[in-house]
Amino acid sequence: MSDLAFKARELDLGDPLAQRRAAFVLDEAVYLDGNSLGALPAAVPGRVEDVVRRQWGELRIRSWEESGWWTAPERIGDRIAPLVGADAGQIVVGDSTSVNVFKALVGAVRLAGEGRDEILVDATTFPTDGYIAESAARLTGRTLRPVPPDRVPAALSDRTAAVLLNHVDYRTGRLHDLPSLTAAVHAAGAVAVWDLCHSAGALPVGLDEHGVDLAVGCTYKYLNGGPGSPAYLYVRRGLQDRFDSPLPGWNSHAEPFGMRPAYEPAPGALRGRVGTPDILSMLALEAALDVWEGVPVEAVRAKSLALTDFFLECVAEYVPEGRVESLTPVAHEERGSQVALRCDDAGKVMRRLIERGVVGDFRHPDVLRFGFTPLYVGFADVERAARVLGEVLRGTAASG
Ligand SMILES: *Cc1c(COP(=O)(O)O)cnc(C)c1O
């Protein structure tokens, strides 16, 4: 056994989260794409079967009440809350991340008031956030300024209404400094909106502790909710009374079954709801969240960093010099839960890796992306992934 394989075995033996792997449906492949679509938690199929056959098939309309369908958005929001450092009553689940970015950003501009005419957006953002921000700016008559996250403090002024930032860069895996950026946004009198798609379920976020105003995130990446599972919206308690959603549907009405012509928002986080929730996906997500029971986020973060450290160590050992370059910061405080490697022929290299049972993904034009999900990826997986990468890259080099 090589030194690194031996080390992997020792690390797996000392891993307090190793047992969680049994809660997922996995096969022999090394699955390092959980930052794109989380693996299936073993409890989900049975729950979905029950929701469809019994709750829908037998109880039918009664399930809105008897099976808790109507209150699912806020109930499941409260299950996500501890994972992002939020007290109960501030998160509702529903709609896609894109739609929630729209609600949050327009809501943020409305909270900031009339005098402020600029919106700042993370220049390196996941594209959908940028597109929505552009439209939100046009609709609210504000100017959109794309700014790299580290230059946000210098770009803030008394003209800034709202700032939309990604917590972790989806491409490079860089973790941005949420506490200090949020404090800077607040010092300028603006509203901070964070996209947590690549941090929730992978590292502590501390929404309440750091005074984040609004946040959104998806649930199909590190939260394993399933393809297209609904996203969530966090509205800080102190702002809820003033949060004025640009999508005020009947589900967020103070009296939804009053069927009144005039809109009157429900109290609390409920006003982030819009229309009838997607119950099948939402309840699959609820079952998927069982895997977090008794798992401290700090333990997840500790293992995530150990996994990415070990992957970088194995890559340095196994991959021929100069064939890849890590885009992911070395410093722990700047690293999310993925490693992005710049590599010539990255598309072809990823296809070969997948053929050999190591599943990551390729991001245009030249990035190999590997996501590390601490609940079901172990250190032996990491060693194997780096070893196969080295073999593939030697093979590619040899065949020209
Ligand atoms: C994955 C991701 C999204 C996805 O948005 P959808 O509306 O679910 O398609 C949005 N923002 C970021 C930062 C993401 O990583």
Side-chain angles (χ1 to χ4, degrees), residues 63 78 137 175 185 187 208 238 253 264 277 327 329 391:
S63 271
D78 284 347
L175 171 64
V185 171
D208 287 353
H253 196 282
E264 188 199 322
L327 302 175
E391 287 164 13

Side-chain angles (χ1 to χ4, degrees), residues 15-251:
D15 170 16
L17 295 180
Q19 303 308 320
R20 290 281 149 171
R21 194 181 172 98
F24 290 87
V25 176
L26 298 165
D27 57 17
E28 345 38 72
V30 178
Y31 190 64
L32 302 181
D33 217 359
N35 54 339
S36 201
L37 177 67
L40 171 66
V44 171
R47 187 80 62 87
V48 170
E49 165 101 18
D50 179 61
V51 170
V52 172
R53 290 198 187 280
R54 188 181 58 83
Q55 297 185 6
W56 178 15
E58 295 172 25
L59 299 179
R60 292 185 286 252
I61 196 81
R62 288 164 53 190
S63 271
W64 282 106
E65 208 163 312
E66 291 177 27
S67 304
W69 289 358
W70 183 262
T71 50
E74 50 272 23
R75 178 177 75 244
I76 302 170
D78 284 347
R79 297 277 308 275
I80 293 173
L83 296 170
V84 291
D87 278 342
Q90 300 175 98
I91 295 181
V92 284
V93 174
D95 311 309
S96 63
T97 301
S98 302
V99 170
N100 282 299
V101 167
F102 179 77
K103 293 182 222 169
L105 195 55
V106 174
V109 170
R110 290 176 174 177
L111 282 165
E114 278 313 310
R116 293 171 174 262
D117 67 351
E118 278 184 359
I119 298 173
L120 305 186
V121 65
D122 182 342
T124 55
T125 184
F126 186 88
T128 206
D129 301 53
Y131 307 154
I132 301 266
E134 200 277 329
S135 178
R138 245 180 323 133
L139 276 165
T140 57
R142 281 10 182 227
T143 305
L144 185 69
R145 278 178 65 195
V147 181
D150 58 340
R151 290 203 226 127
V152 161
L156 289 161
S157 72
D158 58 8
R159 294 179 56 181
T160 315
V163 182
L164 171 62
L165 291 161
N166 289 184
H167 194 194
V168 173
D169 185 305
Y170 76 100
R171 210 169 146 274
T172 63
R174 177 178 292 275
L175 171 64
H176 298 300
D177 188 345
L178 179 145
S180 83
L181 287 167
T182 303
V185 171
H186 286 166
V191 179
V193 184
W194 285 91
D195 183 328
L196 311 177
C197 280
H198 282 271
S199 54
L203 50 98
V205 178
L207 288 178
D208 287 353
E209 181 187 350
H210 304 301
V212 167
D213 299 305
L214 298 142
V216 303
C218 68
T219 61
Y220 50 77
K221 292 171 183 164
Y222 293 95
L223 297 177
N224 316 302
S229 58
Y232 56 91
L233 171 67
Y234 164 91
V235 181
R236 174 159 69 79
R237 193 170 326 273
L239 296 177
Q240 289 174 352
D241 287 351
R242 292 196 294 130
F243 177 68
D244 179 8
S245 172
L247 296 174
W250 73 291
N251 275 225

Side-chain angles (χ1 to χ4, degrees), residues 269-350:
L270 283 183
R271 60 178 68 185
R273 288 180 62 164
V274 186
T276 306
D278 183 344
I279 291 297
L280 299 184
S281 287
M282 186 138 353
L283 299 188
L285 165 65
E286 185 171 36
L289 291 171
D290 287 353
V291 299
W292 298 96
E293 224 41 70
V295 176
V297 189
E298 291 68 27
V300 173
R301 175 60 167 164
K303 181 172 173 189
S304 158
L305 287 171
L307 289 167
T308 50
D309 275 345
F310 187 54
F311 184 66
L312 291 168
E313 182 184 347
C314 292
V315 166
E317 179 69 24
Y318 290 140
V319 171
E321 186 83 29
R323 276 302 262 117
V324 299
E325 175 205 352
S326 176
L327 302 175
T328 302
V330 172
H332 283 178
E333 62 276 15
E334 295 176 5
R335 193 192 303 163
S337 200
Q338 73 176 47
V339 172
L341 302 176
R342 212 202 54 72
C343 175
D344 290 338
D345 277 337
K348 198 163 107 192
V349 170
M350 186 49 74

